[in-house]
Amino acid sequence: MTKEINLKIDGIDLIVDEGTTILNAARKANIQIPTLCYHEDLCVAGNCRVCVVEQKGVKNLVASCAMPASEGMEIFTNTGKVRLARKHIVELLLSEHNADCTKCYKNGNCELQLLASEMLTGEPMYIDLVPDKKYTIDRYNKAIIKDDSRCIRCQRCVRTCEELQSVSALDVAYRGNHMKISTFFEHPLFEVVCTNCGQCVNRCPTGALIERNYVDQVWDAIYDTTKHVVVQTAPAVRIALGEALGMPAGKIVTGKMVTALKRLGFDSVLDTDFTADLTIIEEGHELLTRLKKALVDKDPSVALPMTTSCSPGWIKFIEHTFPEYLPNLSTCKSPQQMFGALAKTYYAQKRNLDPKNIVSISIMPCTAKKFEANRPEMRSSGYNDVDYVLTTRELAIMIRQAGLDFASLPEEHCDSFMGSSTGAAVIFGTTGGVMEAALRTAYEIVTGREVPFEGLNITPVRGTEGEVREASILINKTLPEWNFLEGVELKCVVANGLAYAKKVMQSVKDGTGNYHFIEIMACPGGCLGGGGQPIPTNPEIRSKRKSAIYEEDMGMTIRKSHENPEVAEIYKEFLGKPLGHKSHELLHTHYTPRKRY
Amino acid sequence: MSEILKRVDLIFGEYSDQKYKTLEKTIKRPNDDIIKDILDSGLRGRGGAGFPTAMKWKFTMEQPGDEKYVVCNADEGEPGTFKDREILTQVPRKVFAGMAICGKVIGAKKGYMYLRGEYRFMLPELLKEIDVFNTNAQELDIDFTIEIRMGSGAYICGEESALFESMEGKRGEPRNKPPYPTVSGYLSKPTVINNVETFVNVLMICRIGPVQYKKLGTRDSRGSKVFSVSGDTPIAGIYELELGMPLEKFVEEFGDGDTKAVQVGGASGFCVPRKKFKDTIIGFEGVPTGGSMMIFNSSRSMYNVLHNYLDFFEEESCGQCTPCRVGCQQLRKGIEAVKRGDKPITYLEQLMKLSETMKITAKCGLGQSVANSFSSIVNNFKEEMIY
Ligand SMILES: Cc1cc2nc3c(=O)[nH]c(=O)nc-3n(C[C@H](O)[C@H](O)[C@H](O)COP(=O)(O)O)c2cc1C
Ligand code: SF4
Ligand code: SF4
Ligand code: SF4
Ligand code: SF4
Ligand code: FES
């Protein structure tokens, strides 16, 4: 049993569990203490010092985020001493900071700005240090921009990249006045191990790490009457977009989002869900084929376990960290890229459009997708398969720019074709979703029966944050052509967040992990916690998004990818068969081994 | 040398006639007795902060678990301090014996010496001595070995928790406290970290007993202290003196007749002006020092002295926490601006408040102690700051 601690904060008596920090104890009593370096997802740094409070009998102030409550402690969060110290600290940060907020992408959504406004910082208290600093901006990356002039050195990004992602692309360099957040030898982000996952962007309190935005380019395309602009939206966008537009977390806003996109002027509002279903068909067949080669043909060259490939942050990670396992990656492109390739081929044909006049836009919960769209191999239509990738946040900006009152918008449906969705596609947005969707389909292909789980809910593979989830499913009473799988126990594992991905791959490498199929999502919680999702992010917000996803799945009439009518249609009209020639040309890809340094 | 200013020969006194004799005797005693002797002796740490050594050991001893460490802080980075180097050159065995006693008391099998990067030249001799120690320890059936880890030239790595980070191969950034080293130090295990000189003091207490030891020094500052005397003095060097002396006597002995101020305790210490020499005691009841005594005569510009210190802190701050990283830059720029006339004289008041904020909000002792030299120099030499 945990010990209980009695303490007093601002005169309020509190009982908390041993180990609770003063900050969290105060929050329990609804006393807000300002923070900058603290983040619920990360271990405590205690370096910004803005959360200082006064402790009775102690001369120095204490950092409330780092100080555990102790028996009989008396804390004051709002004394003159505390207030002055906090003001000094914010003023110090501002004196190092290029605070031209009107030119900053985070204007209006910045923790430093908010604190400065609360403290009524007016005339600067201290000397402007910025002219002496040789701040640099790394704009070379397609996904993420790093602007040192707006960095407050809180190290949230460093902790994110190391603790959550085990990538450590960012670290602290130099000492004292030269201390900065840097990459390996200060190379630009695109030259280092950074996966473009954007988790650091989600947690950066200021405008120092932001996505590279393509809002203006998309408006230009929309206004260009010679262009036909198609937009696809990923499953995780519709359960989070509302947050960036003033709605509470966990709201499903699919219909309003579609209406908004139509009103913004996109010529066709389609759905990444469609290619998510297509991914399941292709990837499911790929897995079955690999299993057949391994079990029937005894082909030693077949790479098992097979891992999913729809998370581009994961792709870049494995390319750098486990390049020897690239053959194990499914060759399926991500749903975004499948969509892009089809938009300028199948869709163009059907709509009788010249692909060169199609502009293909995608709205993603993800910054890594921006990088992915720019990979040289992603031009199988002969054009850029996807022209611009916007994050959920950028879409919210466009909606605000257009003056739409999002909450009051009516609800509409996506256009057809390539606009239909299933519950299986919806759950791509959460960890374990691809696995579940794949099993719903693969099991049925092999046995002719639905997966033996109530309501199609394969809860054992539903991943959670902060763990690796293993599950196995017994295949029996197969259809005759699949009888080589009779009695096979399909071993699956699901991981989210690259730190856990690393664990899984390490276990495969050292032989302790024996699996057939591995699902990896680069971001904590899966795409719902993606690097392009609304800021802030924390475990509570993500869990609400997750509930929304499963709610959306349950609300769908069709919940299995292979039952998506448009999927059946595209095979009939265009692709032929799964893993067929056309599929290989348009829907599959290859990978590039990269070095750690 | 004057009556009051007593030269002592405790730290540098000769080794006992037989190798590691005191150690051999001491390890046969119960831990509580040893702790009690150190407690009775009144010994406080010689690394600067002056924490009672017996308490530190006791807390660590009482921690559960059998993986504990003894670390000797030989990073000696404080400007104007060079006494640990002398101790390690002259009487390294005393240091190792002190560490071994600590290991026995707290239940540690492993001791590390974190040696300042610039002292690499001492390594061959020290390694030889460590071999001697390790062999003797074996003969005495003491399960305790010592190893040396080299520092990398960063002042901040002398701060105990940054030192552990550095030993663990990480960037030398101070940790949050609590937990303190006694609970979670090197490799997050209970650890005693003491200054080089502190370990020697422990050994000497074990040799001569607390009663004899307590005859040296004052009620609040027991024992002797090794001072590094530098600056405007004809007799710069290392001196072992009794603690608790009046600064006036010290200046009479070491000054050049024209002493304007003494910086006690290095850059992170206090500057005492001539008019306060008389009332200032060197020791924990007055101005404490890790050993550095810098003497300035009237030819010195105290503005330049302060500027130098601020330059030092600005560079040597680890840079992680706001008050220290930015505060140091602002203090330095601030006094420059006042000097140039770009800022009004009243800006000095603002800077004094800033230094006070740094003192109460910085994460570690470095940022917290910048105000010591800043306020004592600005307060006492205001004209020199302005004109
Ligand atoms: C910035 C900074 C630098 C320090 N450098 C040293 C050092 O070089 N040597 C040392 O013994 N203690 C140094 N200390 C003090 C140590 O943190 C620690 O208090 C000391 O090693 C404890 O030993 P003691 O109790 O024997 O004094 C430093 C502290 C700070 C804040
Ligand atoms: S990071 Fe924040 S405070 Fe800085 S310029 Fe941008 S909005 Fe303003
Ligand atoms: S880039 Fe952002 S998260 Fe990283 S240290 Fe700077 S302000 Fe903090
Ligand atoms: S985008 Fe991801 S991998 Fe790249 S620096 Fe940020 S957290 Fe690390
Ligand atoms: S006070 Fe200075 S040296 Fe200490 S942690 Fe803060 S920045 Fe680093
Ligand atoms: S929030 Fe506590 S030190 Fe930054």
Side-chain angles (χ1 to χ4, degrees):
Chain A
M1 221 184 78
T2 42
K3 216 173 104 188
E4 286 185 340
I5 302 279
N6 295 280
L7 78 162
K8 213 188 225 32
I9 303 185
D10 296 341
I12 302 171
D13 286 309
L14 288 170
I15 302 174
V16 297
D17 288 344
E18 190 174 27
T20 308
T21 59
I22 296 172
L23 177 71
N24 286 329
R27 286 183 175 180
K28 246 186 87 172
N30 287 325
I31 296 168
Q32 293 307 322
I33 296 172
T35 55
L36 282 172
C37 67
Y38 176 78
H39 195 284
E40 279 163 277
D41 290 331
L42 307 172
C43 76
V44 170
N47 60 30
C48 77
R49 313 305 283 179
V50 86
C51 69
V52 287
V53 295
E54 206 170 329
Q55 179 182 352
K56 192 172 174 183
V58 176
K59 240 181 20 228
N60 288 352
L61 301 180
V62 297
S64 60
C65 70
M67 177 65 78
S70 62
E71 189 59 38
M73 194 179 229
E74 256 188 81
I75 296 292
F76 303 94
T77 71
N78 194 22
T79 62
K81 192 170 163 186
V82 166
R83 191 182 288 276
L84 183 69
R86 286 188 192 152
K87 175 137 179 161
H88 281 169
I89 289 167
V90 171
E91 288 278 0
L92 286 175
L93 285 173
L94 291 175
S95 77
E96 269 192 321
H97 190 84
N98 171 22
D100 53 350
C101 300
T102 54
K103 294 181 197 147
C104 179
Y105 191 60
K106 288 295 276 297
N107 192 4
N109 187 16
C110 166
E111 295 179 42
L112 177 63
Q113 189 187 47
L114 185 68
L115 259 186
S117 79
E118 280 175 2
M119 288 185 178
L120 297 176
T121 51
E123 268 305 297
M125 209 177 236
Y126 302 117
I127 296 167
D128 184 7
L129 301 172
V130 177
D132 280 0
K133 305 257 170 195
K134 293 182 190 74
Y135 286 135
T136 50
I137 305 183
D138 175 358
R139 299 181 196 280
Y140 303 105
N141 193 315
K142 300 284 185 199
I144 288 165
I145 294 173
K146 175 169 170 284
D147 178 352
D148 292 346
S149 77
R150 306 207 204 265
C151 172
I152 58 168
R153 296 140 175 97
C154 67
Q155 302 190 33
R156 279 193 194 170
C157 53
V158 174
R159 284 174 282 150
T160 300
C161 198
E162 182 187 332
E163 294 167 20
L164 301 180
Q165 302 299 68
S166 71
V167 173
S168 297
L170 296 173
D171 207 346
V172 180
Y174 309 110
R175 273 203 313 265
N177 46 357
H178 301 295
M179 182 271 208
K180 64 181 283 191
I181 308 303
S182 187
T183 51
F184 185 67
F185 276 109
E186 300 198 40
H187 290 313
L189 274 171
F190 83 93
E191 283 183 9
V192 299
V193 289
C194 170
T195 66
N196 303 294
C197 71
Q199 288 305 312
C200 54
V201 173
N202 278 0
R203 287 170 187 80
C204 177
T206 68
L209 282 164
I210 54 173
E211 70 258 26
R212 183 171 186 145
N213 89 80
Y214 297 89
V215 169
D216 286 338
Q217 288 88 329
V218 172
W219 280 124
D220 286 348
I222 289 175
Y223 294 142
D224 185 341
T225 49
T226 65
K227 300 289 185 201
H228 179 91
V229 188
V230 298
V231 62
Q232 53 165 320
T233 57
V237 175
R238 61 203 67 178
I239 48 91
L241 176 64
E243 290 167 36
L245 294 161
M247 298 168 88
K251 273 252 178 299
I252 304 170
V253 295
T254 317
K256 290 182 193 297
M257 176 186 74
V258 172
T259 308
L261 289 166
K262 289 185 176 172
R263 295 205 185 167
L264 292 180
F266 287 103
D267 296 302
S268 193
V269 178
L270 303 175
D271 203 338
T272 316
D273 282 12
F274 164 74
T275 36
D277 282 333
L278 198 55
T279 302
I280 290 302
I281 307 299
E282 292 288 324
E283 197 163 311
H285 280 93
E286 187 184 1
L287 176 66
L288 293 174
T289 307
R290 289 196 195 199
L291 287 173
K292 178 161 186 284
K293 277 191 191 154
L295 296 173
V296 181
D297 310 343
K298 311 273 182 223
D299 177 354
S301 75
V302 61
L304 280 171
M306 187 176 93
T307 82
T308 57
S309 59
C310 41
S311 170
W314 155 239
I315 300 297
K316 185 129 187 291
F317 181 79
I318 189 174
E319 286 177 338
H320 282 292
T321 316
F322 297 98
E324 68 275 27
Y325 283 96
L326 291 182
N328 296 62
L329 275 178
S330 159
T331 58
C332 286
K333 287 180 182 171
S334 73
Q336 159 178 285
Q337 292 305 136
M338 286 196 182
F339 193 102
L342 293 173
K344 296 193 178 179
T345 52
Y346 173 59
Y347 178 85
Q349 268 175 36
K350 264 187 98 149
R351 294 290 297 259
N352 218 351
L353 293 162
D354 185 343
K356 82 171 189 300
N357 290 329
I358 294 180
V359 181
S360 144
I361 312 286
S362 70
I363 315 286
M364 294 287 139
C366 182
T367 46
K369 293 244 162 53
K370 289 176 188 267
F371 171 84
E372 182 188 34
N374 282 289
R375 290 175 81 113
E377 59 271 24
M378 294 302 173
R379 291 176 55 86
S380 32
S381 62
Y383 304 87
N384 288 333
D385 293 341
V386 174
D387 292 290
Y388 300 111
V389 179
L390 303 185
T391 60
T392 312
R393 296 186 289 261
E394 289 164 84
L395 175 59
I397 290 171
M398 290 184 74
I399 292 172
R400 278 199 301 269
Q401 286 178 336
L404 299 179
D405 177 25
F406 190 71
S408 69
L409 288 180
E411 307 199 353
E412 292 185 36
H413 289 292
C414 283
D415 295 321
S416 170
F417 40 94
M418 293 175 51
S420 72
S421 166
T422 68
V426 165
I427 56 175
F428 261 63
T430 177
T431 169
V434 176
M435 178 67 70
E436 181 166 352
L439 291 178
R440 283 182 195 172
T441 290
Y443 191 88
E444 206 163 314
I445 293 175
V446 172
T447 66
R449 304 185 311 275
E450 285 191 342
V451 278
F453 290 89
E454 198 184 327
L456 298 177
N457 296 328
I458 315 180
T459 41
V461 299
R462 293 193 174 172
T464 33
E465 277 185 38
E467 69 165 51
V468 168
R469 174 150 295 194
E470 294 180 339
S472 60
I473 182 165
L474 183 69
I475 302 178
N476 58 11
K477 295 196 229 139
T478 58
L479 295 175
E481 67 264 43
W482 299 102
N483 63 10
F484 65 93
L485 285 172
E486 183 64 42
V488 169
E489 199 175 314
L490 194 67
K491 290 202 179 109
C492 313
V493 63
V494 170
N496 62 99
L498 291 172
Y500 291 95
K502 192 174 189 171
K503 276 197 184 139
V504 169
M505 293 314 292
Q506 211 74 55
S507 79
V508 169
K509 206 168 165 168
D510 66 26
T512 54
N514 277 306
Y515 310 110
H516 296 107
F517 192 29
I518 300 176
E519 182 209 287
I520 306 262
M521 296 288 156
C523 295
C527 303
L528 62 86
Q533 292 285 54
I535 298 170
T537 184
N538 61 42
E540 190 190 331
I541 290 175
R542 292 192 298 275
S543 112
K544 287 185 177 159
R545 292 177 188 163
K546 182 173 172 178
S547 308
I549 284 185
Y550 285 119
E551 194 188 317
E552 174 106 333
D553 170 31
M554 290 299 285
M556 303 292 277
T557 34
I558 306 175
R559 300 188 47 224
K560 295 178 278 191
S561 298
H562 53 279
E563 292 178 359
N564 183 329
E566 289 188 352
V567 168
E569 196 176 327
I570 194 174
Y571 278 113
K572 202 166 90 210
E573 291 181 354
F574 185 71
L575 291 173
K577 60 176 190 343
L579 307 182
H581 174 69
K582 259 226 146 64
S583 287
H584 269 290
E585 200 177 291
L586 294 173
L587 308 183
H588 291 256
T589 186
H590 57 272
Y591 306 102
T592 316
R594 298 172 200 262
K595 294 202 157 55
R596 266 298 286 158
Y597 298 105
Chain B
M1 203 165 266
S2 78
E3 279 291 286
I4 303 173
L5 213 60
K6 261 200 285 182
R7 286 291 289 267
V8 187
D9 220 11
L10 190 67
I11 304 295
F12 292 114
E14 281 184 20
Y15 287 148
S16 38
D17 45 11
Q18 176 201 326
K19 259 187 217 151
Y20 289 106
K21 187 166 160 189
T22 310
L23 176 61
E24 184 174 1
K25 257 181 22 204
T26 309
I27 53 162
K28 291 180 186 132
R29 300 179 57 202
N31 290 337
D32 289 335
D33 287 9
I34 302 174
I35 294 261
K36 185 164 180 307
D37 275 5
I38 303 173
L39 192 65
D40 287 348
S41 77
L43 175 64
R44 293 171 67 168
R46 300 302 196 227
F51 192 83
T53 305
M55 299 314 288
K56 195 184 267 191
W57 287 26
K58 189 165 160 359
F59 293 150
T60 315
M61 177 178 85
E62 286 165 354
Q63 284 298 312
D66 50 4
E67 194 185 341
K68 297 182 186 177
Y69 296 100
V70 176
V71 175
C72 174
N73 190 341
D75 197 46
E76 194 161 56
E78 190 65 49
T81 320
F82 37 93
K83 50 106 184 165
D84 291 339
R85 182 181 68 193
E86 195 65 16
I87 295 173
L88 288 173
T89 311
Q90 306 252 355
V91 287
R93 277 178 212 177
K94 292 191 184 179
V95 182
F96 300 144
M99 291 173 71
I101 293 171
C102 181
K104 159 186 158 59
V105 170
I106 67 165
K109 295 184 181 64
K110 190 84 210 170
Y112 293 95
M113 174 173 288
Y114 188 87
L115 187 65
R116 176 177 181 168
E118 288 86 340
Y119 292 173
R120 183 172 287 278
F121 69 93
M122 298 163 63
L123 202 54
E125 277 308 309
L126 280 174
L127 286 175
K128 261 187 245 163
E129 279 298 334
I130 282 186
D131 281 345
V132 174
F133 168 83
N134 286 339
T135 315
N136 273 269
Q138 230 172 13
E139 282 164 14
L140 296 173
D141 212 15
I142 301 175
D143 188 6
F144 186 77
T145 50
I146 295 176
E147 233 179 75
I148 296 191
R149 293 288 177 85
M150 291 308 295
S152 54
Y155 169 59
I156 191 57
C157 287
E159 194 281 337
E160 51 198 26
S161 62
L163 187 150
F164 299 141
E165 290 287 297
S166 167
M167 278 177 68
E168 290 171 19
K170 293 182 249 169
R171 183 183 155 86
E173 275 188 357
R175 299 172 180 169
N176 289 303
K177 291 177 199 164
Y180 293 95
T182 48
V183 175
S184 175
Y186 177 53
L187 300 177
S188 305
K189 300 292 176 207
T191 304
V192 161
I193 176 163
N194 277 127
N195 176 253
V196 172
E197 190 181 345
T198 310
F199 283 118
V200 180
N201 273 281
V202 168
L203 182 80
M204 296 319 288
I205 291 164
C206 291
R207 188 192 293 175
I208 66 178
V211 179
Q212 189 72 15
Y213 181 86
K214 264 193 336 198
K215 288 186 181 153
L216 295 168
T218 58
R219 193 172 60 91
D220 293 315
S221 308
R222 298 291 185 199
S224 65
K225 179 84 196 74
V226 181
F227 290 93
S228 320
V229 183
S230 65
D232 298 316
T233 165
I235 47 170
I238 303 281
Y239 299 89
E240 186 178 348
L241 304 169
E242 203 177 352
L243 269 174
M245 63 187 156
L247 185 56
E248 192 178 28
K249 295 289 164 199
F250 175 87
V251 174
E252 272 170 27
E253 183 72 30
F254 291 96
D256 61 0
D258 184 26
T259 303
K260 164 161 94 174
V262 180
Q263 178 78 18
V264 182
S268 60
F270 293 85
C271 181
V272 184
R274 183 182 296 150
K275 62 177 187 285
K276 293 184 186 161
F277 287 169
K278 209 170 147 64
D279 303 323
T280 302
I281 301 289
I282 306 302
F284 297 108
E285 65 269 59
V287 184
T289 171
S292 165
M293 302 293 278
M294 280 188 264
I295 302 174
F296 301 113
N297 68 20
S298 56
S299 73
R300 300 285 162 186
S301 151
M302 294 314 286
Y303 171 85
N304 286 346
V305 168
L306 177 58
H307 197 281
N308 271 337
Y309 291 161
L310 292 174
D311 274 344
F312 172 78
F313 286 128
E314 197 179 333
E315 298 280 327
E316 294 297 331
S317 152
C318 80
Q320 68 164 314
C321 81
T322 314
C324 173
R325 180 188 67 249
V326 199
C328 290
Q329 299 173 59
Q330 286 295 350
L331 293 181
R332 197 255 306 155
K333 286 233 169 202
I335 62 165
E336 286 174 359
V338 170
K339 191 87 173 173
R340 273 200 314 270
D342 289 351
K343 287 273 184 194
I345 296 164
T346 51
Y347 193 63
L348 287 175
E349 300 302 317
Q350 176 108 26
L351 295 178
M352 293 287 271
K353 285 189 195 147
L354 171 58
S355 74
E356 178 59 23
T357 291
M358 291 166 68
K359 185 187 206 119
I360 61 174
T361 63
K363 184 168 175 175
C364 87
L366 189 151
Q368 288 163 6
S369 61
V370 175
N372 297 349
S373 51
F374 187 83
S375 61
S376 58
I377 293 179
V378 171
N379 271 333
N380 291 308
F381 301 94
K382 202 158 193 170
E383 310 75 49
E384 294 194 36
M385 296 301 120
I386 300 164
Y387 305 109

